[in-house]
Amino acid sequence: MTVANQQIKGWRGVPFSEVKINDAFWRPRLETLKNVTMGVCLDQCEKTGRIANFAIAGGLTDGKFEGMYYNDSDVYKVLEGAAYSLMTDRDPKLEAEIDRIVELIEAAQESDGYLSTYYTLEAPELKWTDMEKHEMYNGGHLIEAAVAYYQATGKRRLLDVACRMADHYDTLFGPGKRHWAEGHEEIELALVKLFGVTGEDRYWKLALWLLEERGHGHGVGAIWDKEDWGPAYCQDDVPVRDIREVKGHAVRAMYLYTAMADVVLASGDPAYMEALDRVWAHTVERNMYVTGGIGPSVHNEGFTFDYDLPNESAYCETCAAITMAFWNHRMNLLHGHGKYADIVEKELFNGALSGISLSGDRFFYVNPLASKGEHHRVEWFHTSCCPTNLARFLPSIGQYVYAASEDGISVNQYLSSETTVKLAGGSGVTLAQTTAYPWDGRVELRVNPEQSDEFVLRLRLPGWCGSYRIYAQGESVTGEEALAENGYLVLKRQWLPGDTVVLELDMPVTAVRSLEEVEANRGRIAFQRGPVVYCIEQAGNQELVYDEFAFKAAEPFVAEYAGDQLGGVTVLRGRTVDGRSCELIPYYAWDNREAGFMQVWVREAEDRRLYR
């Protein structure tokens, strides 16, 4: 790759720290995350020895290493999430706790910059001998936490630790040095972030080198030695620019594709674009659940073969949904196409959000699309990547809402919020968005440029939406004035301070069917309203027995907002084919009441050929 040919400019994402969220759906969840989830994660990291490992490695206290070799990463992810919370709500108590943990992390760092408490305490002579042991994966999450905390507080202590560690990597690895193909990708995208905050080119160039190392037979360690895993498990079977199909561990794959997109954005070189486009189509069109979940198999926490999408045994790790959002956000910035923001939306309201309870203190690692009643959220996991990933993903959702392009502003996600975006010419535009999304499709935008200015305003037209209306200054906009292009409604006009735009997206209840190739869903339908996928669970449907009921595709459900139910949801009320009344709730909200069965894909009553 070369940066001489600057062909890819892309859109510029608006940082979540510049987006004020006052949304009726998201604001309470962010409050719960700050007040409950963050404390749960910190307490569990303390209780399980994850934080103490740093103090022991730093010689500040006696003891032995506790847990798994990747446990450092959980602490880093919680710190990153805490930093994001501080960006929007400075909390002296939380900040003091982070500062305390940062001191321990700094103490654990070795003199040459190396940092991994497992190897420092358990096997110092085995450093850099097994590429599966997450040395750089842990380091990547440290970098992301350090960048976030520096941006939140201006404090450099953790950032300096991260830079020393990255510099240590750079002395050992690179052209003419040692080979390395990290078994669990993550370091690559983190290095691009470090470049972004420091301006040091060597960091993104090291990320590029690490990407280029893959698929050339350099892998050494447990993954490569296991006959039923092998290099494809960690996306080390082919050079990254030759990738054609999604394979292996789902989370690792998503981190890899995210990093590839980041390198394109950082360098301007389009060399990875064809590979990214190929693997995106393969993932979304053949290997993604209706909820946005990916990775059907518990065996490899990942992919098997095309159209293998079982429901009850679906793995669909919460982290995979989160990293799917990471990747698709970058693809949206690269291509300026709404279909990628559609996937981010799918994860926000379904695949990722299902991973956390409404109370904020119980979690799903695995997200099946059917359960006979034995699958439930729990307080914590031995491998706790999902709770800690939620702790950093949810506070940063504001970054997915808006983007700036060469010719204007794009609205990618719909939630009540406010931001100010700098246009290419340097003038600022404040956008204020008001909506009751996802329960209502009406979105109001107030546009306030610093002065009268001509630019493009793009409003994403979701893929699920079949009909809509758009108004500017109270007047209907049609035809050439509001072109539909690349998944957006494009309004180009001279904007004045105080101008308004109203988008009304119709939200009928829609019956969804899989492709015929998906054997698990033949003769079945699912229901969706707007961006929300629905399910039926035993709570509220006591007369029904698991999979012993059916629906007509044209069942006239009544959508009814229930403010006192499940934190406030729109419930779908209807009848089974034999006339029994029932209710469907959003998939993300299941297992928050008494235990019982759940199904997304239900039996279809009629001959489906009538509805083609």
Side-chain angles (χ1 to χ4, degrees):
M1 292 179 72
T2 172
V3 281
N5 186 12
Q6 300 275 336
Q7 293 183 32
I8 299 291
K9 293 184 178 179
W11 289 357
R12 175 177 55 83
V14 176
F16 71 88
S17 56
E18 297 176 15
V19 179
K20 180 181 180 181
I21 296 175
N22 46 33
D23 188 76
F25 182 89
W26 287 110
R27 189 71 248 167
R29 285 167 171 78
L30 296 178
E31 290 295 325
T32 298
L33 190 100
K34 179 172 70 77
N35 296 328
V36 178
T37 310
M38 208 65 68
V40 166
C41 289
L42 285 170
D43 288 347
Q44 289 286 357
C45 284
E46 195 76 69
K47 187 187 304 182
T48 56
R50 285 166 167 81
I51 294 174
N53 284 337
F54 291 100
I56 298 166
L60 303 178
T61 186
D62 295 329
K64 62 178 184 177
F65 180 86
E66 294 289 341
M68 298 295 290
Y69 48 83
Y70 43 69
N71 275 6
D72 290 1
S73 68
D74 292 320
V75 178
Y76 300 145
K77 281 182 279 189
V78 179
L79 294 189
E80 183 184 352
Y84 293 155
S85 292
L86 290 174
M87 286 186 194
T88 54
D89 185 11
R90 203 73 180 254
D91 182 334
K93 184 178 179 181
L94 178 60
E95 192 170 331
E97 176 62 6
I98 297 177
D99 288 341
R100 180 186 75 85
I101 297 170
V102 168
E103 288 185 20
L104 304 182
I105 294 169
E106 183 182 51
Q109 186 169 39
E110 298 184 19
S111 58
D112 62 358
Y114 183 87
L115 183 50
S116 170
T117 64
Y118 169 78
Y119 276 103
T120 296
L121 294 171
E122 290 291 302
E125 73 285 358
L126 296 178
K127 296 173 185 173
W128 307 120
T129 60
D130 186 343
M131 297 180 189
E132 158 59 13
K133 284 295 194 290
H134 289 55
E135 284 167 279
M136 283 193 183
Y137 169 82
N138 290 340
H141 281 299
L142 168 60
I143 289 171
E144 291 204 80
V147 169
Y149 197 52
Y150 172 68
Q151 291 174 332
T153 66
K155 297 177 180 178
R156 287 197 57 96
R157 195 170 192 173
L158 191 59
L159 184 64
D160 289 340
V161 170
C163 288
R164 287 194 295 271
M165 181 190 66
D167 291 344
H168 172 65
Y169 295 167
D170 200 37
T171 62
L172 294 179
F173 306 102
K177 304 171 191 175
R178 296 177 60 172
H179 290 296
W180 194 262
E182 179 68 7
H184 197 313
E185 300 93 322
E186 212 281 338
I187 180 61
E188 301 88 349
L189 67 92
L191 285 167
V192 177
K193 279 192 177 181
L194 191 59
F195 155 69
V197 78
T198 65
E200 293 286 349
D201 283 351
R202 68 178 183 275
Y203 295 138
W204 81 258
K205 289 179 179 178
L206 179 59
L208 171 60
W209 179 85
L210 286 164
L211 292 173
E212 290 291 307
E213 282 285 278
R214 310 192 80 81
H216 297 289
H218 301 315
V220 176
I223 288 175
W224 296 267
D225 297 339
K226 290 187 78 167
E227 189 174 318
D228 54 348
W229 280 6
Y233 175 82
C234 62
Q235 299 76 46
D236 189 34
D237 56 326
V238 297
V240 294
R241 66 186 64 218
D242 295 333
I243 290 173
R244 294 186 175 277
E245 299 179 348
V246 66
K247 296 178 183 177
H249 189 280
V251 179
R252 300 176 199 228
M254 296 307 109
Y255 276 133
L256 173 64
Y257 308 151
T258 300
M260 290 169 66
D262 275 344
V263 166
V264 174
L265 287 165
S267 68
D269 193 313
Y272 291 153
M273 288 304 300
E274 288 187 11
L276 286 169
D277 291 342
R278 286 193 303 263
V279 77
W280 184 88
H282 185 249
T283 304
V284 171
E285 295 170 7
R286 302 184 181 203
N287 292 281
M288 184 178 73
Y289 285 86
V290 68
T291 58
I294 55 171
S297 175
V298 64
H299 174 67
N300 66 346
E301 295 187 309
F303 301 97
T304 51
F305 53 88
D306 287 354
Y307 308 112
D308 180 30
L309 299 170
N311 292 310
E312 195 173 331
S313 64
Y315 198 71
C316 292
E317 184 181 341
T318 298
C319 286
I322 291 171
T323 50
M324 188 71 164
F326 292 166
W327 177 32
N328 277 273
H329 173 56
R330 270 70 162 196
M331 292 295 281
N332 174 256
L333 297 179
L334 280 174
H335 283 293
H337 200 296
K339 67 182 181 181
Y340 305 107
D342 282 354
I343 303 298
V344 174
E345 177 181 80
K346 188 179 286 287
E347 306 300 352
L348 284 171
F349 290 109
N350 304 286
L353 191 58
S354 61
I356 188 169
S357 67
L358 298 175
S359 56
D361 58 358
R362 301 182 75 84
F363 311 93
F364 278 149
Y365 193 108
V366 178
N367 294 272
L369 279 74
S371 170
K372 293 177 181 176
E374 71 286 349
H375 189 73
H376 306 292
R377 291 182 175 84
V378 299
E379 293 180 353
W380 199 246
F381 306 95
H382 177 65
T383 296
S384 58
C385 51
C386 294
T388 54
N389 240 341
L390 286 162
R392 73 188 186 113
F393 172 65
L394 291 174
S396 63
I397 60 170
Q399 70 182 304
Y400 305 116
V401 183
Y402 305 99
S405 60
E406 288 272 306
D407 58 358
I409 304 169
S410 300
V411 181
N412 286 324
Q413 303 299 331
Y414 297 121
L415 65 156
S416 296
S417 56
E418 185 174 319
T419 192
T420 299
V421 180
K422 287 288 185 182
L423 299 176
S427 62
V429 179
T430 298
L431 286 180
Q433 183 182 164
T434 305
T435 183
Y437 207 82
W439 314 128
D440 189 291
R442 180 183 172 87
V443 180
E444 301 179 24
L445 281 166
R446 185 168 293 275
V447 185
N448 276 301
E450 292 176 351
Q451 57 192 17
S452 177
D453 202 351
E454 183 181 73
F455 57 89
V456 169
L457 181 64
R458 290 179 175 85
L459 305 177
R460 181 173 59 90
L461 184 58
W464 54 259
C465 181
S467 58
Y468 63 90
R469 292 159 302 284
I470 186 167
Y471 306 90
Q473 305 304 99
E475 296 182 1
S476 178
V477 181
T478 58
E480 292 291 321
E481 290 184 280
L483 294 174
E485 179 183 275
N486 293 331
Y488 290 89
L489 295 170
V490 182
L491 279 68
K492 182 176 182 180
R493 56 174 56 200
Q494 190 79 22
W495 298 93
L496 299 171
D499 277 356
T500 60
V501 176
V502 174
L503 175 62
E504 294 180 347
L505 303 169
D506 290 334
M507 285 186 172
V509 179
T510 304
V512 180
R513 292 192 183 88
S514 290
L515 296 174
E516 282 289 342
E517 291 89 340
V518 182
E519 184 178 351
N521 294 335
R522 289 175 188 164
R524 295 181 179 273
I525 50 177
F527 293 98
Q528 182 169 338
R529 181 176 181 272
V532 178
V533 174
Y534 279 75
C535 70
I536 186 165
E537 70 170 352
Q538 195 163 352
N541 296 284
Q542 300 297 339
E543 295 182 8
L544 302 184
V545 177
Y546 179 81
D547 211 30
E548 293 185 9
F549 51 87
F551 287 93
K552 296 179 181 179
E555 168 62 29
F557 284 101
V558 174
E560 179 182 297
Y561 183 74
D564 60 348
Q565 193 170 338
L566 296 169
V569 294
T570 291
V571 174
L572 305 184
R573 304 195 189 280
R575 293 186 179 276
T576 62
V577 70
D578 58 6
R580 287 178 288 176
S581 61
C582 63
E583 70 170 31
L584 276 63
I585 64 166
Y587 170 75
Y588 76 77
W590 84 278
D591 197 46
N592 278 282
R593 301 180 288 188
E594 59 268 24
F597 74 78
M598 181 278 297
Q599 287 180 266
V600 171
W601 291 97
V602 295
R603 293 182 182 276
E604 182 177 7
E606 296 112 335
D607 184 341
R608 59 182 299 181
R609 288 174 297 180
L610 299 175
Y611 295 92
R612 291 216 172 157

